[in-house]
Amino acid sequence: MSDTPFGFGLPPEEPENGDEGKKKDPTGGGQGSGGPVNPFGFGPGAGGDNPFAAMFGTMNPNDLGAAFQQLGQMLSYEGGPVNWDMAKQIARQTVSQGTPDGTKDASVGPSERSAVDEALRLADLWLDGVTSLPSGSVSTVAWSRAEWVEASLPAWQKLVDPVAERVGLAMGDVLPEEMQAMAGPLIGMMRSMGGAMFGQQIGQAVGVLAGEVVGSTDIGLPLGPAGKAALLPLNVERFGKDLSVPQDEVRLYLALREAAHQRLFAHVPWLRSHLFGAVEGYARGIKVDTSKLEDVVGQFDPSQPEQLQDALQQGMFQPEDTPEQKAALARLETALALVEGWVDAVVHEAAKSRLTSADALRETMRRRRASGGPAEQTFATLIGLQLRPRRLRDASRLWASLTDARGLDGRDALWAHPDMLPTAQDLDDPDGFVHHEQLDFSELDKMLGEAAKGPQKPAEDTDDKGLAGSTETEDRKDDGKGDSDR
């Protein structure tokens, strides 16, 4: 049976020596657990075998009073499917404990803020020459780990709530309909407990991620506020510690990636909602193993809240094997691959002639993304998505080939509408997509314009005729443009 909280497999451990901490228990338990890195902190090293140890102590009889007090707080929660107040609390506590290598969070000093601001602004200047998309950064910020937690929680809420909602709904369906009215208080209690369990999981995950991420876009999704380019100086330094690359180059390369993401999300207005919508669409296709929930409901003991946690840990979620679910996953994987591939290609073009270590930094980042770093592991655990190296590299090669074949404007114009982007099949054959004959919409525009115009009455005079013709021409342009976008 799976030991991940949602029943999905995790990507393999990263084999890179440069990120030694990823082979350790992300909650600080050291190496020796023998299992894959679990970003949610379950299992040995995460407060013992009981993930509630940090909250309830050892659960011995002497601690029952405090345990029931905490339990009462958990059961009083009446919000959405995740107790986000608890998630924030757990995340902040995890950050304060530091990372496995002993690095503690600290406030960002003036010199670090200045260095981040300078790197992000220089990165934007370099990107001007390699993309037609203008700067998307309204401001630049240097975050501590705790500040990243605060800034990213709203985005995590959008990602996780749809999945957690499936459990909340299932909790109301595990009993026969005629018994649900009688069991109302129990169902309400279970839902409150479910919100607390998810809050515990997400808080642990976000706290661990805060020790690893270097900016606001590490998983290919915008986790920070729109238009705010951000780097975490402490984690940037940790990222480059064992790379034998000057720290200034590491910072500038990561700033290029952050600034490139910001341009894409700022000037492709549909992209943010498209990605989050794809996550939600995939979550709707996840089914809950109600038989496990029935066992939990029938045996639930309020004095042992870890029972529900164990059920979540053992895996109650299974993605439905339907064409709709497979299509939703394919859309999400392809969209993320295209985003990351575009950023990879654009950043390499900007850095290759300016940074002596551009190639090495690019390969390090690719391996970090592809081999299941903490960000990818968390995302895979949350919604069952694993970014495959083949998709990322193929997407990058496709965008680079498009630059050669169509230029910057032609390449970036594909972001005008989701239907214009390459598909999963195109990623299998990037050269075929790049070199196939580009569609000429001029004749289609003309036909649509003529159809929209319809029969015309003779104009009364030359001026009116000219004005009418001008208006109809504009109508044809507008209609043609809208239909070609579709």
Side-chain angles (χ1 to χ4, degrees):
M1 183 173 292
S2 171
D3 61 356
T4 57
F6 295 93
F8 298 120
L10 296 179
E13 283 189 293
E14 181 175 357
E16 298 303 309
N17 294 329
D19 284 313
E20 180 183 358
K22 295 173 187 174
K23 286 184 175 287
K24 301 178 182 179
D25 181 358
T27 59
Q31 302 186 60
S33 65
V37 174
N38 186 342
F40 288 102
F42 297 128
D49 290 332
N50 178 5
F52 273 76
M55 299 178 61
F56 292 137
T58 60
M59 293 299 293
N60 62 48
N62 295 329
D63 294 328
L64 283 179
F68 275 107
Q69 183 178 0
Q70 292 285 349
L71 178 61
Q73 296 176 359
M74 294 164 63
L75 294 179
S76 66
Y77 173 71
E78 297 180 351
V82 177
N83 187 332
W84 288 102
D85 291 335
M86 176 174 289
K88 180 189 292 188
Q89 177 185 355
I90 296 295
R92 295 294 296 262
Q93 290 174 353
T94 303
V95 166
S96 67
Q97 295 170 3
T99 51
D101 63 357
T103 305
K104 296 285 187 178
D105 193 24
S107 299
V108 180
S111 61
E112 293 172 316
R113 293 187 187 278
S114 177
V116 166
D117 180 74
E118 181 180 348
L120 287 168
R121 292 183 184 279
L122 181 57
D124 250 341
L125 289 176
W126 287 5
L127 290 173
D128 283 339
V130 295
T131 175
S132 62
L133 300 179
S135 173
S137 305
V138 177
S139 61
T140 63
V141 291
W143 282 335
S144 66
R145 293 168 178 170
E147 289 171 328
W148 180 86
V149 167
E150 296 283 345
S152 66
L153 277 178
W156 285 112
Q157 185 170 355
K158 291 181 181 180
L159 290 170
V160 176
D161 273 353
V163 180
E165 183 67 26
R166 301 291 296 173
V167 174
L169 294 174
M171 285 180 175
D173 297 334
V174 295
L175 297 177
E177 185 175 351
E178 62 273 11
M179 296 180 58
Q180 290 187 15
M182 299 173 55
L186 176 60
I187 294 174
M189 180 175 65
M190 294 294 293
R191 286 177 175 170
S192 296
M193 288 294 296
M197 300 304 105
F198 275 104
Q200 164 78 9
Q201 292 178 15
I202 303 308
Q204 183 71 32
V206 172
V208 172
L209 280 170
E212 299 286 348
V213 295
V214 296
S216 70
T217 55
D218 279 37
I219 65 171
L221 292 171
L223 295 181
K228 186 169 289 188
L231 290 179
L232 283 70
L234 184 60
N235 292 352
V236 170
E237 180 180 359
R238 187 166 177 250
F239 176 88
K241 181 178 179 181
D242 299 319
L243 296 181
S244 300
V245 175
Q247 189 66 24
D248 289 346
E249 287 201 19
V250 173
R251 185 189 304 112
L252 189 48
Y253 187 84
L254 297 177
L256 282 167
R257 290 184 52 84
E258 176 74 8
H261 277 104
Q262 292 294 334
R263 287 184 182 228
L264 199 56
F265 289 116
H267 298 291
V268 182
W270 55 265
L271 183 57
R272 186 183 296 259
S273 60
H274 178 75
L275 288 170
F276 282 99
V279 174
E280 185 174 357
Y282 183 76
R284 283 196 299 266
I286 292 176
K287 62 181 178 181
V288 180
D289 188 342
T290 55
S291 64
K292 292 182 180 179
L293 270 180
E294 289 171 357
D295 292 340
V296 174
V297 170
Q299 304 174 13
F300 180 68
D301 180 355
S303 68
Q304 296 181 334
E306 69 273 13
Q307 287 180 353
L308 186 57
Q309 181 76 14
D310 290 341
L312 292 175
Q313 179 179 350
Q314 292 169 1
M316 289 189 296
F317 299 149
Q318 297 291 335
E320 290 186 296
D321 188 19
T322 64
E324 294 79 11
Q325 181 71 346
K326 291 178 180 179
L329 180 59
R331 284 195 301 271
L332 183 55
E333 287 182 331
T334 302
L336 286 171
L338 290 173
V339 168
E340 287 301 285
W342 184 88
V343 168
D344 180 81
V346 166
V347 166
H348 184 68
E349 187 65 25
K352 65 182 181 181
S353 62
R354 295 181 173 99
L355 299 179
T356 58
S357 303
D359 290 335
L361 288 168
R362 182 191 201 187
E363 191 58 32
T364 298
M365 181 57 71
R366 280 181 165 185
R367 289 199 297 265
R368 184 177 190 257
R369 296 302 313 277
S371 58
E376 288 78 16
Q377 289 179 13
T378 299
F379 202 50
T381 306
L382 289 176
I383 67 168
L385 173 69
Q386 298 183 23
L387 296 178
R388 293 169 291 175
R390 180 175 62 86
R391 300 289 83 183
L392 182 59
R393 292 178 185 269
D394 285 348
S396 179
R397 190 170 78 249
L398 184 148
W399 289 117
S401 298
L402 281 169
T403 306
D404 296 336
R406 306 185 188 181
L408 302 181
D409 292 340
R411 177 199 66 196
D412 295 342
L414 293 177
W415 290 106
H417 192 278
D419 290 345
M420 298 175 64
L421 288 176
T423 64
Q425 290 72 28
D426 294 324
L427 291 181
D428 292 330
D429 182 22
D431 293 335
F433 178 84
V434 170
H435 298 295
H436 80 272
E437 183 178 357
Q438 299 185 48
L439 296 177
D440 183 1
F441 291 103
S442 59
E443 287 301 319
L444 178 60
D445 290 346
K446 183 177 179 180
M447 293 171 59
L448 292 172
E450 292 293 338
K453 180 173 59 174
Q456 293 191 22
K457 297 179 181 180
E460 294 182 6
D461 56 63
T462 305
D463 292 338
D464 289 343
K465 182 177 180 180
L467 180 60
S470 174
T471 302
E472 289 156 4
T473 301
E474 292 300 321
D475 288 343
R476 289 198 300 273
K477 290 181 179 178
D478 292 341
D479 290 343
K481 182 178 183 295
D483 285 302
S484 65
D485 284 350
R486 289 191 290 272

